[in-house]
Amino acid sequence: DQQVKQNSPSLSVQEGRISILNCDYTNSMFDYFLWYKKYPAEGPTFLISISSIKDKNEDGRFTVFLNKSAKHLSLHIVPSQPGDSAVYFCAASARDNYGQNFVFGPGTRLSVLP
Amino acid sequence: ETGVTQTPRHLVMGMTNKKSLKCEQHLGHNAMYWYKQSAKKPLELMFVYNFKEQTENNSVPSRFSPECPNSSHLFLHLHTLQPEDSALYLCASSQVVGGRAFFGQGTRLTVV
């Protein structure tokens, strides 16, 4: 049973528009969430994170929203750029439970069309 | 440049070969990980080392054997692999287990 779900395997967005990537989780112990971006044949690179004590974190064009009651988070990219085309992984961990590792979602492939 | 370096970047090996993947981090992190990414599958955690001690082994077959001689280096020794073991193998490190992880660029392994 997947604890972290990304139900959209792919998403296409026009350049300049907003990209919204969604992630749902089932484990209520998760208290730290991250988004990673991955290009083909490379390792994931960290994008942005959010702690469960917050409901929003913003870094430049990237904003992550957390809805704890719905066990849902989303990544907004605005404006989207062709270089944003990659696979985006949502990850969650329970940092308060020392030793809990990250659980990754299956990823969403974002294509930003020029 | 993430501070986590993996070698080799690409490896082709026969099913009877023995090879090793190497990972090195100079971030002063205490936790290191091996992940496997197969086509169209989520990232799978294989092994976790915390202060050089293995703390997790996610039911990984014994043909994969990790080694962590010190907190900066992590190896994955491979022997008698199967074609289905072909995947991208990723090393990562974090300050503490469950903290923000930094990934290496991965080793693309092909078993023939």
Side-chain angles (χ1 to χ4, degrees):
Chain A
D1 180 39
Q2 276 193 325
Q3 295 187 67
V4 178
K5 302 175 186 179
Q6 293 176 258
N7 292 322
S8 299
S10 62
L11 174 69
S12 292
V13 171
Q14 208 67 37
E15 181 179 5
R17 306 294 290 269
I18 184 171
S19 295
I20 300 177
L21 297 104
N22 293 305
C23 178
D24 297 286
Y25 60 96
T26 58
N27 188 342
S28 58
M29 297 298 292
F30 288 146
D31 59 4
Y32 185 51
F33 305 89
L34 305 89
W35 285 95
Y36 282 85
K37 172 182 178 180
K38 185 181 181 303
Y39 293 116
E42 291 187 13
T45 53
F46 171 78
L47 263 182
I48 193 169
S49 64
I50 189 166
S51 166
S52 59
I53 62 173
K54 299 175 113 178
D55 54 18
K56 176 182 174 182
N57 190 24
E58 190 172 352
D59 183 2
R61 296 186 297 113
F62 302 92
T63 303
V64 56
F65 295 91
L66 175 62
N67 182 334
K68 282 181 62 180
S69 60
K71 296 192 178 68
H72 176 84
L73 64 156
S74 61
L75 174 68
H76 292 212
I77 307 173
V78 55
S80 301
Q81 299 173 356
D84 296 329
S85 297
V87 177
Y88 289 78
F89 292 98
C90 170
S93 78
R95 282 194 304 182
D96 288 343
N97 180 18
Y98 182 79
Q100 175 66 49
N101 299 298
F102 284 113
V103 178
F104 282 85
T108 295
R109 181 176 301 279
L110 173 66
S111 299
V112 180
L113 310 172
Chain B
E1 178 58 52
T2 66
V4 180
T5 305
Q6 288 185 245
T7 52
R9 291 292 309 276
H10 302 273
L11 178 63
V12 179
M13 60 185 288
M15 290 190 284
T16 58
N17 291 159
K18 289 185 179 181
K19 296 285 184 183
S20 296
L21 310 185
K22 180 182 176 182
C23 177
E24 191 171 350
Q25 59 93 3
H26 296 290
L27 300 169
H29 289 169
N30 297 309
M32 294 188 79
Y33 314 79
W34 280 116
Y35 282 88
K36 174 184 177 182
Q37 187 180 30
S38 305
K40 300 181 181 179
K41 280 186 165 184
L43 281 167
E44 299 172 62
L45 179 66
M46 299 175 72
F47 301 104
V48 181
Y49 277 82
N50 189 31
F51 291 96
K52 302 186 297 177
E53 298 296 322
Q54 188 180 131
T55 59
E56 190 156 340
N57 174 341
N58 272 1
S59 304
V60 181
S62 59
R63 57 185 184 270
F64 295 91
S65 173
E67 178 191 0
C68 188
N70 54 63
S71 57
S72 299
H73 293 86
L74 185 65
F75 295 89
L76 186 62
H77 303 300
L78 317 170
H79 64 98
T80 59
L81 294 193
Q82 305 297 313
E84 59 265 28
D85 296 322
S86 299
L88 181 68
Y89 288 84
L90 292 158
C91 173
S93 71
S94 61
Q95 183 60 46
V96 295
V97 174
R100 173 183 155 185
F102 292 77
F103 283 83
Q105 291 190 300
T107 296
R108 171 67 62 186
L109 174 69
T110 304
V111 181
V112 296

